[in-house]
Amino acid sequence: MIENFHEIMALWDKHLLTMRTIEHLEMFSIALTISVIIGVSVGVIIYIRPGIASPVLNFLNILETIPDLALLVILLPLLRLGTGPTIAASVIYSILPIARNTYTGLKGVDSKYIYVAEAIGLSPRDILLKVRIPMSLPLIAGGIRIALVFTMGVVTLGGLVAAGGLGTVLQNGIQLYEKDAILLAGLWTGILAVILDLGAGRIEKKLYKRYGTWQPQK
Amino acid sequence: MPTQRLFERIDSIELQQVSKKYGSRYAVESLDLTIEGGELLILIGPSGSGKTTTLRMINRMIGPDTGSIRINGQDVMQLDPVRLRRNMGYVIQNIGLFPHMTIGENVGLVPKLEGWDEKRTNARVRHLLDFVSLPPERFIKRYPRQLSGGQQQRVGLARALVMDPPLLLMDEPFGALDPILRTQLQEEFLEIKKEIGRTIVFITHDIEEAFRLGDRIAIMDNARLVQVGAPEDLIFDPVNELVADIVDTKRKFKHMDTLNVKDLMTPLDAKYILNGGVDACDAVEIMKDREIEIGIVFEKGMLAGKVEMVNLLKCEDDRPFLRDIAKPMKVFALRDSVATALSEMKRSGEYVAMVMDGDTVGGMLVSDEVLLKLI
Ligand SMILES: Nc1ncnc2c1ncn2[C@@H]1O[C@H](COP(=O)(O)OP(=O)(O)OP(=O)(O)O)[C@@H](O)[C@H]1O
Ligand SMILES: [Mg+2]
C-alpha cells in the first residue's frame, strides 16, 4: 500500500504532474472565461435582435458538428502550435450551449413579471438587467456547465498540438508506451473533470433555488 | 436614472372618445369618462368588458387607437412612458413580486433606479412596510415565496406607494384572496385611503367591494361605459337592466327579514381556530401558514374571542397569550334574524360574528358573504 503510494508519487514527479495540472487548469479557466463572456454576449445580442437569432444559432450549430480533432488541426496554420488553437477550439465549441441557454432563458421569463416591471416604470434596459438576466441565471449556469465538459475535453486533446497540460503527459505516455503514466494521468484528468462538474452542478442548483422561476414558454 | 416628477397631484383625468380595437372587436369603444382628483373611482362590469384595457391606457401600456387621455390637461401619449409610470402606483391581482428579490429589494427597486442613495431608499422601504403592517425588521430580508398571499398583497401595495404617486391604478388587487382576508384588507385599505388622499382607479368584480370603497362607480359592459355615478345614483336610478342587476340591493334587503342566521351562516373552518394558550408571535406564524388574517380563539372548548393578524404583528415585546388579548366578538343564536344581526355588526364595525347552538359552535356569520349569498 505504502510502497504503491511511493511509486505513484515517483511517477507523478517524473512526469511533472503538478506543473501539468496547473497548466491544464490555467488553459481551462482562460478558455471558459472567454467562452462565458462571448456566449452570454451573443445570447443577449440575439435576444435583442431576434431577427438574427436563428441564423446565428444555425451557424454555431454547424461549428459544433466539426469533430474536435479536425477543428484543432484546422486552427493550427492560423494560430500555430501550443495553447492558441486549443483555447480557440474550446471557445468555438462552448459558445453555442452558453448562447443558446442565455437566449432561451431571456425569452422564457414569465410574461407576468415583465408586465409588472413595465407597469411600475422599468425601462426596457432595466427590465433586461434587473429582471430578465437575473431570472435566466440558472439556465445560463446550465449552459456553462455543458461548456465546462466540452472545454475539459478539448484542453486535454491540446496535448497533441503541444499545448501543455495533462494531455501532454498522456501524449508522451502513448508515444513511449508507459502504461502506468497513461493510467495515472488519465485517471487524474477524469477525477479533475468530475470535481469541476460537481462544483458547477452545485452552483447551478443554488442559482435555481435563488432565481429558479424559469418555465418553458407556453 | 432619475426622472422628473410629472405631477404632484391630480386635478383630473379626462378620457375623451377613447377607442381601442383588437382585430375587428372593440376592447374599449368611444369611452368618455372624467376622473376627479382625490376620488376613488371603481370600474366594474362583466369579464371582458374592457376594464383592464382602460386602466392600461391611463399609464400608456396600451395606446388608444383614437381619442385622448389627459392627466391635468396633458395628453399621456406626449409623455415619456417610464416617467409617467413612475408617477403612478400599479397593483394587480397576482401581485407579481419579483421572486429573485427580497421584500426590501422589491419595494426599493424603483427608488434605486431613480438613483436614491442606500440610506434614503432603506428609510422609505421601512416606512412603507410599517405602513402596510409588516414589521420591517422581520420582513425586509425575506423572499416573496416565504410570505402568505395576504402579506404579499401588502408588499405589492407598499411597492406601488414607494414613489409617493398621486395616482394609484389597481386591477382587482384583492380578487384572489378568500372572503375574510379580502374584507380585512379592504378595511385596512380604507384607512390608507383616508390617510393618503390620492386619486385611485380601482377595478373589481365584487359589488360589495365597490360600495364599500368607491366614491363613484363606473359600470362597463361590452367595451362601453354604461353608467357612472355615486352608489345611490346607481341603485335608485339605474339606466338599464344590467346596472339594476349589478347593484340591485333592494331585492336582497327585502327578503332578508324572513331569514334566520342559520340560513346564511358559514360553517366554521377549522383553520380559523386557535388555542388560547398559544402566544402571539407563534400565532402569527400559524396564521401565516394557514393564510388567515383573523383567528377565533378557544380556551378549554369555550369561545374566548377573536384576534387579527395586524394586531399580533407587534408581538415581540411581551409575547402575550391569545386568551389574554382575544377581543370579544358578537355571538348570535341560530334563530336570530339576519337583518338584526347584520345591523348590530354594522353598528359596531365588525364583519365577522360567531353563531352558537347552545354551547356548541354553529358557524360563522361573515357580513360580506351574507350579502353575496343574497344577490
Ligand atoms: N392583447 C390583446 N389581444 C387581443 N384581445 C385582447 C387583448 N387584450 C384584451 N383583449 C380583449 O379585449 C377585451 C377587453 O379586455 P379587458 O382585459 O380590458 O377586459 P376586463 O374588463 O379587464 O375583463 P376581466 O374582468 O376578465 O379582467 C376582451 O374581449 C379581451 O379578450
Ligand atoms: Mg381585467
Side-chain angles (χ1 to χ4, degrees):
Chain A
M1 195 54 199
I2 293 171
E3 228 165 86
N4 276 345
F5 180 73
H6 281 297
E7 265 175 46
I8 291 174
M9 287 316 290
L11 202 57
W12 180 283
D13 287 338
K14 181 182 162 205
H15 290 279
L16 307 169
L17 272 173
T18 305
M19 188 192 90
R20 293 299 183 200
T21 304
I22 294 172
E23 275 174 8
H24 196 87
L25 291 179
E26 206 172 342
M27 261 191 292
F28 167 81
S29 338
I30 294 173
L32 196 63
T33 309
I34 299 175
S35 305
V36 170
I37 294 170
I38 300 181
V40 171
S41 311
V42 170
V44 171
I45 291 169
I46 60 179
Y47 168 73
I48 295 172
R49 307 210 155 285
I52 61 169
S54 171
V56 168
L57 289 174
N58 283 338
F59 172 71
L60 292 173
N61 251 319
I62 293 170
L63 291 182
E64 206 78 2
T65 56
I66 306 173
D68 39 11
L69 201 54
L71 189 61
L72 265 184
V73 177
I74 294 169
L75 289 168
L76 281 184
L78 295 171
L79 298 164
R80 270 179 265 131
L81 281 180
T83 54
T86 309
I87 291 176
S90 305
V91 171
I92 288 171
Y93 276 123
S94 302
I95 293 175
L96 178 68
I98 300 177
R100 189 185 45 207
N101 278 28
T102 305
Y103 174 68
T104 316
L106 293 177
K107 247 182 33 167
V109 172
D110 191 334
S111 60
K112 85 171 180 197
Y113 297 116
I114 306 307
Y115 175 83
V116 167
E118 265 180 47
I120 65 171
L122 268 64
S123 63
R125 188 170 156 272
D126 298 333
I127 293 179
L128 183 65
L129 294 179
K130 301 285 176 188
V131 181
R132 286 201 192 266
I133 291 182
M135 284 193 161
S136 313
L137 283 181
L139 216 66
I140 297 176
I144 295 175
R145 200 171 154 199
I146 299 170
L148 179 149
V149 176
F150 287 179
T151 305
M152 216 46 194
V154 177
V155 166
T156 310
L157 208 60
L160 290 179
V161 295
L166 294 167
T168 308
V169 183
L170 286 169
Q171 165 79 356
N172 290 342
I174 293 167
Q175 271 174 5
L176 306 170
Y177 201 63
E178 273 192 55
K179 249 198 307 196
D180 290 347
I182 297 174
L183 214 60
L184 180 61
L187 218 59
W188 176 232
T189 315
I191 292 172
L192 266 186
V194 169
I195 293 174
L196 287 171
D197 187 54
L198 279 179
R202 289 184 70 160
I203 294 174
E204 191 186 349
K205 221 168 156 186
K206 277 216 174 111
L207 288 171
Y208 259 108
K209 261 179 94 177
R210 173 109 156 68
Y211 298 99
T213 53
W214 188 88
Q215 285 165 347
Q217 254 183 336
K218 276 152 235 148
Chain B
M1 189 197 347
T3 52
Q4 203 194 330
R5 268 178 94 85
L6 286 169
F7 21 76
E8 287 305 323
R9 54 159 284 120
I10 303 289
D11 300 320
S12 70
I13 302 170
E14 289 168 322
L15 293 90
Q16 280 173 351
Q17 284 299 304
V18 173
S19 295
K20 175 72 195 175
K21 257 185 175 176
Y22 287 111
S24 59
R25 283 195 55 214
Y26 281 104
V28 171
E29 188 178 359
S30 309
L31 178 67
D32 279 313
L33 177 64
T34 301
I35 301 159
E36 309 289 343
E39 78 170 332
L40 193 155
L41 181 91
I42 299 275
L43 285 179
I44 193 169
S47 189
S49 54
K51 305 179 294 291
T52 299
T53 307
T54 303
L55 202 70
R56 293 176 68 181
M57 287 195 286
I58 296 176
N59 77 351
R60 250 202 90 166
M61 284 177 74
I62 299 175
D65 297 333
T66 56
S68 71
I69 296 163
R70 294 171 180 281
I71 300 180
N72 296 355
Q74 279 179 293
D75 189 333
V76 293
M77 294 311 286
Q78 308 297 323
L79 299 170
D80 172 46
V82 169
R83 215 170 128 193
L84 181 72
R85 290 171 201 155
R86 286 185 189 178
N87 247 247
M88 357 182 132
Y90 198 94
V91 187
I92 52 170
Q93 178 172 339
N94 55 19
I95 318 166
L97 297 180
F98 299 118
H100 59 290
M101 299 181 191
T102 61
I103 300 312
E105 288 164 347
N106 264 288
V107 178
L109 178 59
V110 171
K112 203 171 138 201
L113 294 172
E114 282 282 321
W116 292 21
D117 62 35
E118 191 89 5
K119 213 172 129 209
R120 183 171 170 212
T121 307
N122 197 20
R124 179 75 184 144
V125 170
R126 285 173 167 274
H127 171 77
L128 280 168
L129 289 180
D130 237 350
F131 186 62
V132 295
S133 305
L134 297 172
E137 56 282 4
R138 262 198 301 145
F139 285 95
I140 203 163
K141 292 244 159 62
R142 292 207 199 171
Y143 285 92
R145 64 174 174 279
Q146 299 170 303
L147 269 57
S148 71
Q151 290 170 334
Q152 290 189 30
Q153 197 64 58
R154 295 195 159 114
V155 178
L157 185 59
R159 178 173 66 183
L161 293 172
V162 75
M163 296 307 289
D164 197 18
L167 174 62
L168 273 183
L169 305 176
M170 309 184 77
D171 195 345
E172 299 190 49
F174 308 138
L177 307 175
D178 71 71
I180 293 190
L181 184 55
R182 190 186 317 156
T183 313
Q184 169 85 35
L185 283 179
Q186 285 166 357
E187 293 290 327
E188 289 181 40
F189 184 69
L190 273 178
E191 290 301 308
I192 290 176
K193 185 194 149 193
K194 266 186 234 150
E195 276 180 55
I196 60 187
R198 296 167 212 269
T199 310
I200 301 167
V201 185
F202 190 111
I203 298 180
T204 181
H205 268 120
D206 176 354
I207 188 67
E208 297 308 328
E209 182 167 86
F211 283 153
R212 187 188 284 252
L213 302 179
D215 298 317
R216 285 196 309 152
I217 298 173
I219 297 183
M220 290 190 72
D221 182 34
N222 206 3
R224 286 178 166 275
L225 177 66
V226 183
Q227 187 172 7
V228 56
E232 48 285 12
D233 301 339
L234 304 181
I235 294 172
F236 297 120
D237 204 6
V239 298
N240 66 12
E241 277 300 300
L242 177 88
V243 177
D245 263 2
I246 291 182
V247 301
D248 190 346
T249 41
K250 274 180 233 150
R251 185 166 30 121
K252 54 192 180 201
F253 286 117
K254 200 158 72 188
H255 57 228
M256 200 156 75
D257 293 341
T258 63
L259 292 169
N260 290 334
V261 165
K262 187 170 119 243
D263 303 319
L264 292 170
M265 70 186 187
T266 350
L268 176 60
D269 188 329
K271 74 177 178 179
Y272 292 110
I273 299 177
L274 295 172
N275 190 313
V278 173
D279 86 39
C281 288
D282 292 338
V284 170
E285 291 305 317
I286 296 173
M287 291 171 80
K288 195 197 97 190
D289 288 344
R290 297 186 188 168
E291 303 243 317
I292 56 176
E293 292 285 317
I294 187 168
I296 314 285
V297 182
F298 284 86
E299 174 74 5
K300 302 204 177 80
M302 302 285 288
L303 176 67
K306 64 174 177 190
V307 289
E308 292 176 30
M309 178 84 118
V310 258
N311 302 328
L312 297 180
L313 286 171
K314 296 186 176 119
C315 60
E316 254 131 19
D317 297 339
D318 46 355
R319 300 182 80 103
F321 292 115
L322 296 184
R323 68 168 88 87
D324 299 324
I325 50 169
K327 289 190 205 140
M329 59 193 299
K330 291 228 165 343
V331 178
F332 298 106
L334 293 178
R335 287 206 204 295
D336 285 347
S337 130
V338 163
T340 322
L342 279 186
S343 62
E344 255 184 64
M345 285 166 75
K346 187 157 185 158
R347 216 173 305 132
S348 60
E350 287 170 84
Y351 57 89
V352 46
M354 285 303 290
V355 181
M356 301 296 282
D357 180 9
D359 275 342
T360 55
V361 172
M364 282 193 294
L365 197 63
V366 183
S367 56
D368 271 22
E369 277 189 0
V370 170
L371 292 171
L372 285 176
K373 280 183 184 164
L374 286 167
I375 293 177

Short mmCIF file of all heavy atoms in Angstrom, two decimals, chain B residues 20-23 25-28 44-56 62 93 171-172 203-205 220 222-223, ligand 1:
data_model
loop_
_atom_site.label_atom_id
_atom_site.label_comp_id
_atom_site.label_asym_id
_atom_site.label_seq_id
_atom_site.Cartn_x
_atom_site.Cartn_y
_atom_site.Cartn_z
N LYS B 20 -60.24 51.43 -28.45
CA LYS B 20 -59.13 50.51 -28.71
C LYS B 20 -59.71 49.23 -29.29
O LYS B 20 -60.63 48.64 -28.74
CB LYS B 20 -58.39 50.22 -27.41
CG LYS B 20 -57.30 49.18 -27.54
CD LYS B 20 -56.12 49.71 -28.29
CE LYS B 20 -55.19 48.60 -28.73
NZ LYS B 20 -54.09 49.10 -29.57
N LYS B 21 -59.17 48.83 -30.44
CA LYS B 21 -59.67 47.63 -31.11
C LYS B 21 -58.61 46.54 -31.10
O LYS B 21 -57.43 46.83 -31.23
CB LYS B 21 -59.95 47.97 -32.58
CG LYS B 21 -61.40 48.15 -32.94
CD LYS B 21 -61.51 48.36 -34.44
CE LYS B 21 -62.97 48.43 -34.86
NZ LYS B 21 -63.10 48.73 -36.29
N TYR B 22 -59.04 45.32 -30.91
CA TYR B 22 -58.16 44.17 -31.19
C TYR B 22 -58.79 43.42 -32.34
O TYR B 22 -59.89 42.90 -32.19
CB TYR B 22 -58.02 43.27 -29.96
CG TYR B 22 -57.17 43.88 -28.88
CD1 TYR B 22 -57.72 44.29 -27.67
CD2 TYR B 22 -55.80 44.05 -29.07
CE1 TYR B 22 -56.93 44.84 -26.67
CE2 TYR B 22 -55.00 44.60 -28.08
CZ TYR B 22 -55.57 45.00 -26.88
OH TYR B 22 -54.79 45.54 -25.91
N GLY B 23 -58.11 43.38 -33.46
CA GLY B 23 -58.72 42.80 -34.65
C GLY B 23 -59.92 43.63 -35.03
O GLY B 23 -59.83 44.85 -35.11
N ARG B 25 -62.69 43.59 -33.18
CA ARG B 25 -63.54 43.80 -31.99
C ARG B 25 -63.03 44.94 -31.14
O ARG B 25 -61.83 45.07 -30.92
CB ARG B 25 -63.57 42.52 -31.14
CG ARG B 25 -64.47 41.45 -31.71
CD ARG B 25 -64.74 40.38 -30.66
NE ARG B 25 -65.29 40.96 -29.44
CZ ARG B 25 -65.03 40.50 -28.21
NH1 ARG B 25 -64.24 39.48 -28.05
NH2 ARG B 25 -65.58 41.06 -27.16
N TYR B 26 -63.95 45.73 -30.65
CA TYR B 26 -63.57 46.79 -29.72
C TYR B 26 -63.32 46.21 -28.33
O TYR B 26 -64.13 45.44 -27.83
CB TYR B 26 -64.70 47.83 -29.61
CG TYR B 26 -64.75 48.80 -30.75
CD1 TYR B 26 -65.69 48.69 -31.75
CD2 TYR B 26 -63.82 49.84 -30.80
CE1 TYR B 26 -65.73 49.59 -32.81
CE2 TYR B 26 -63.85 50.75 -31.85
CZ TYR B 26 -64.81 50.62 -32.86
OH TYR B 26 -64.83 51.52 -33.88
N ALA B 27 -62.19 46.58 -27.74
CA ALA B 27 -61.97 46.26 -26.32
C ALA B 27 -62.52 47.41 -25.49
O ALA B 27 -63.03 47.21 -24.38
CB ALA B 27 -60.49 46.06 -26.04
N VAL B 28 -62.38 48.61 -26.04
CA VAL B 28 -62.97 49.82 -25.44
C VAL B 28 -63.51 50.66 -26.59
O VAL B 28 -62.82 50.84 -27.59
CB VAL B 28 -61.93 50.62 -24.64
CG1 VAL B 28 -62.49 51.97 -24.21
CG2 VAL B 28 -61.45 49.85 -23.42
N ILE B 44 -66.30 48.57 -12.78
CA ILE B 44 -66.86 47.24 -12.57
C ILE B 44 -67.64 46.85 -13.81
O ILE B 44 -68.09 47.72 -14.57
CB ILE B 44 -67.75 47.22 -11.30
CG1 ILE B 44 -68.11 45.80 -10.87
CG2 ILE B 44 -69.00 48.07 -11.48
CD1 ILE B 44 -68.74 45.72 -9.48
N GLY B 45 -67.77 45.54 -14.03
CA GLY B 45 -68.51 45.08 -15.20
C GLY B 45 -68.13 43.65 -15.52
O GLY B 45 -67.18 43.12 -14.96
N PRO B 46 -68.87 43.03 -16.44
CA PRO B 46 -68.60 41.62 -16.76
C PRO B 46 -67.18 41.41 -17.29
O PRO B 46 -66.53 42.36 -17.73
CB PRO B 46 -69.63 41.31 -17.86
CG PRO B 46 -70.65 42.37 -17.77
CD PRO B 46 -69.99 43.57 -17.20
N SER B 47 -66.75 40.18 -17.24
CA SER B 47 -65.43 39.83 -17.74
C SER B 47 -65.32 40.17 -19.23
O SER B 47 -66.25 39.94 -19.99
CB SER B 47 -65.22 38.33 -17.52
OG SER B 47 -63.90 38.01 -17.81
N GLY B 48 -64.22 40.78 -19.59
CA GLY B 48 -64.01 41.13 -21.00
C GLY B 48 -64.67 42.43 -21.41
O GLY B 48 -64.70 42.77 -22.60
N SER B 49 -65.17 43.20 -20.44
CA SER B 49 -65.88 44.42 -20.81
C SER B 49 -64.94 45.60 -21.08
O SER B 49 -65.40 46.66 -21.50
CB SER B 49 -66.89 44.79 -19.72
OG SER B 49 -66.26 44.87 -18.46
N GLY B 50 -63.66 45.43 -20.83
CA GLY B 50 -62.72 46.49 -21.19
C GLY B 50 -62.11 47.26 -20.02
O GLY B 50 -61.47 48.29 -20.23
N LYS B 51 -62.27 46.74 -18.81
CA LYS B 51 -61.78 47.46 -17.63
C LYS B 51 -60.25 47.55 -17.61
O LYS B 51 -59.68 48.63 -17.45
CB LYS B 51 -62.28 46.76 -16.35
CG LYS B 51 -63.79 46.58 -16.31
CD LYS B 51 -64.24 45.86 -15.05
CE LYS B 51 -63.77 44.42 -14.94
NZ LYS B 51 -64.39 43.50 -15.90
N THR B 52 -59.62 46.39 -17.76
CA THR B 52 -58.16 46.38 -17.71
C THR B 52 -57.58 47.21 -18.85
O THR B 52 -56.62 47.96 -18.68
CB THR B 52 -57.63 44.94 -17.76
OG1 THR B 52 -58.13 44.23 -16.64
CG2 THR B 52 -56.11 44.90 -17.75
N THR B 53 -58.17 47.09 -20.01
CA THR B 53 -57.69 47.86 -21.16
C THR B 53 -57.75 49.36 -20.86
O THR B 53 -56.81 50.10 -21.15
CB THR B 53 -58.54 47.53 -22.41
OG1 THR B 53 -58.55 46.12 -22.58
CG2 THR B 53 -57.96 48.19 -23.65
N THR B 54 -58.86 49.78 -20.24
CA THR B 54 -58.99 51.20 -19.87
C THR B 54 -57.86 51.62 -18.93
O THR B 54 -57.20 52.64 -19.13
CB THR B 54 -60.36 51.45 -19.20
OG1 THR B 54 -61.38 51.02 -20.09
CG2 THR B 54 -60.55 52.91 -18.86
N LEU B 55 -57.66 50.80 -17.91
CA LEU B 55 -56.62 51.12 -16.91
C LEU B 55 -55.24 51.21 -17.57
O LEU B 55 -54.45 52.11 -17.28
CB LEU B 55 -56.62 50.04 -15.83
CG LEU B 55 -56.01 50.42 -14.49
CD1 LEU B 55 -56.92 51.41 -13.79
CD2 LEU B 55 -55.82 49.19 -13.62
N ARG B 56 -54.98 50.27 -18.47
CA ARG B 56 -53.65 50.23 -19.09
C ARG B 56 -53.45 51.35 -20.11
O ARG B 56 -52.33 51.63 -20.50
CB ARG B 56 -53.42 48.87 -19.75
CG ARG B 56 -53.33 47.76 -18.73
CD ARG B 56 -53.20 46.42 -19.36
NE ARG B 56 -51.92 46.27 -20.03
CZ ARG B 56 -51.54 45.18 -20.69
NH1 ARG B 56 -52.37 44.15 -20.77
NH2 ARG B 56 -50.38 45.11 -21.28
N ILE B 62 -50.94 50.61 -23.06
CA ILE B 62 -51.63 50.43 -24.33
C ILE B 62 -51.93 51.82 -24.87
O ILE B 62 -52.35 52.70 -24.13
CB ILE B 62 -52.97 49.67 -24.14
CG1 ILE B 62 -52.72 48.29 -23.55
CG2 ILE B 62 -53.74 49.58 -25.44
CD1 ILE B 62 -54.00 47.55 -23.21
N GLN B 93 -53.83 41.81 -9.44
CA GLN B 93 -54.36 40.67 -8.70
C GLN B 93 -53.27 39.67 -8.32
O GLN B 93 -53.17 39.26 -7.19
CB GLN B 93 -55.43 39.99 -9.55
CG GLN B 93 -56.03 38.77 -8.91
CD GLN B 93 -57.21 38.26 -9.71
OE1 GLN B 93 -57.82 38.97 -10.49
NE2 GLN B 93 -57.53 37.01 -9.53
N ASP B 171 -55.83 46.86 -10.24
CA ASP B 171 -56.61 45.92 -11.05
C ASP B 171 -56.95 44.69 -10.21
O ASP B 171 -56.12 43.80 -10.06
CB ASP B 171 -55.80 45.53 -12.30
CG ASP B 171 -56.69 44.86 -13.35
OD1 ASP B 171 -57.82 44.46 -13.00
OD2 ASP B 171 -56.24 44.77 -14.51
N GLU B 172 -58.14 44.64 -9.68
CA GLU B 172 -58.60 43.55 -8.81
C GLU B 172 -57.55 43.16 -7.77
O GLU B 172 -57.17 41.98 -7.68
CB GLU B 172 -58.96 42.32 -9.65
CG GLU B 172 -60.09 42.61 -10.61
CD GLU B 172 -60.60 41.33 -11.27
OE1 GLU B 172 -60.85 40.37 -10.53
OE2 GLU B 172 -60.74 41.30 -12.50
N ILE B 203 -60.30 48.52 -10.10
CA ILE B 203 -61.15 47.55 -10.79
C ILE B 203 -61.56 46.45 -9.83
O ILE B 203 -60.76 45.97 -9.04
CB ILE B 203 -60.40 46.91 -11.98
CG1 ILE B 203 -60.02 47.99 -13.00
CG2 ILE B 203 -61.25 45.82 -12.63
CD1 ILE B 203 -59.28 47.43 -14.20
N THR B 204 -62.82 46.06 -9.89
CA THR B 204 -63.26 44.91 -9.09
C THR B 204 -64.40 44.19 -9.79
O THR B 204 -65.03 44.71 -10.72
CB THR B 204 -63.72 45.36 -7.69
OG1 THR B 204 -64.12 44.21 -6.95
CG2 THR B 204 -64.87 46.34 -7.75
N HIS B 205 -64.64 42.94 -9.35
CA HIS B 205 -65.80 42.19 -9.80
C HIS B 205 -66.87 42.15 -8.72
O HIS B 205 -67.94 41.59 -8.92
CB HIS B 205 -65.38 40.75 -10.11
CG HIS B 205 -65.00 40.54 -11.52
ND1 HIS B 205 -63.76 40.11 -11.90
CD2 HIS B 205 -65.69 40.72 -12.67
CE1 HIS B 205 -63.70 40.03 -13.21
NE2 HIS B 205 -64.86 40.41 -13.71
N MET B 220 -69.02 49.15 -16.75
CA MET B 220 -68.69 48.91 -18.16
C MET B 220 -69.34 47.62 -18.62
O MET B 220 -69.48 46.67 -17.85
CB MET B 220 -67.18 48.83 -18.35
CG MET B 220 -66.49 50.16 -18.16
SD MET B 220 -64.76 50.11 -18.68
CE MET B 220 -64.93 50.03 -20.46
N ASN B 222 -69.37 45.30 -22.41
CA ASN B 222 -69.17 45.16 -23.83
C ASN B 222 -68.44 46.36 -24.44
O ASN B 222 -68.88 46.95 -25.42
CB ASN B 222 -70.54 44.99 -24.49
CG ASN B 222 -70.42 44.24 -25.79
OD1 ASN B 222 -69.32 43.81 -26.16
ND2 ASN B 222 -71.53 44.10 -26.50
N ALA B 223 -67.31 46.72 -23.84
CA ALA B 223 -66.42 47.78 -24.34
C ALA B 223 -66.95 49.20 -24.14
O ALA B 223 -66.29 50.16 -24.50
CB ALA B 223 -66.06 47.56 -25.82
N1 LIG C 1 -53.70 41.83 -26.13
C1 LIG C 1 -54.95 41.53 -26.56
N2 LIG C 1 -55.15 40.97 -27.76
C2 LIG C 1 -56.39 40.67 -28.20
N3 LIG C 1 -57.50 40.90 -27.49
C3 LIG C 1 -57.40 41.45 -26.28
C4 LIG C 1 -56.10 41.80 -25.74
N4 LIG C 1 -56.28 42.33 -24.52
C5 LIG C 1 -57.61 42.32 -24.30
N5 LIG C 1 -58.27 41.80 -25.35
C6 LIG C 1 -59.75 41.68 -25.46
O1 LIG C 1 -60.33 42.91 -25.17
C7 LIG C 1 -61.50 42.75 -24.39
C8 LIG C 1 -61.40 43.55 -23.12
O2 LIG C 1 -60.38 43.01 -22.31
P1 LIG C 1 -60.05 43.54 -20.86
O3 LIG C 1 -58.86 42.77 -20.38
O4 LIG C 1 -59.94 45.00 -20.86
O5 LIG C 1 -61.34 43.09 -20.05
P2 LIG C 1 -61.66 43.20 -18.50
O6 LIG C 1 -62.89 44.01 -18.38
O7 LIG C 1 -60.47 43.65 -17.75
O8 LIG C 1 -62.00 41.70 -18.16
P3 LIG C 1 -61.71 40.85 -16.82
O9 LIG C 1 -62.76 41.27 -15.87
O10 LIG C 1 -61.89 39.45 -17.27
O11 LIG C 1 -60.32 41.17 -16.38
C9 LIG C 1 -61.65 41.26 -24.17
O12 LIG C 1 -62.59 40.77 -25.10
C10 LIG C 1 -60.29 40.71 -24.43
O13 LIG C 1 -60.39 39.40 -24.93
#
